[in-house]
Amino acid sequence: SLFVLVLFIYACVGINLFSKIKLRDSLNDKFNFQTFGRSMLTLMRFSTGDGWSDFMFEATEKEDCEVS
């Protein structure tokens, strides 16, 4: 239950920080931070180490952010 609580907190933070990143290779329609459910699935994927480095490289590109 502690792990789920930590995922819940980081999912909320991930939605606030990364919801405007354009979808590309590692962030696609299944794994993204646009909704809470998708955010939890993405964090579960990252907790196993799968796709973490790809997300880091895609998140650092500034021209891929959507400005509202």
Side-chain angles (χ1 to χ4, degrees):
S1 63
L2 181 62
F3 182 66
V4 174
L5 177 66
V6 170
L7 283 181
F8 176 81
I9 292 169
Y10 281 109
C12 293
V13 171
I15 289 171
N16 288 326
L17 294 176
F18 303 116
S19 64
K20 299 293 182 184
I21 293 178
K22 290 184 183 177
L23 302 179
R24 290 184 29 184
D25 296 329
S26 69
L27 287 176
N28 50 29
D29 58 341
K30 289 184 181 180
F31 299 107
N32 57 49
F33 287 97
Q34 294 176 348
T35 63
F36 181 75
R38 302 271 186 209
S39 180
M40 289 290 282
L41 287 175
T42 303
L43 288 176
M44 286 294 289
R45 178 182 174 198
F46 290 166
S47 69
T48 63
D50 183 34
W52 170 245
S53 60
D54 297 333
F55 170 74
M56 284 191 311
F57 290 123
E58 288 182 13
T60 57
E61 295 183 18
K62 294 181 182 178
E63 65 269 0
D64 288 339
C65 293
E66 296 176 4
V67 178
S68 59

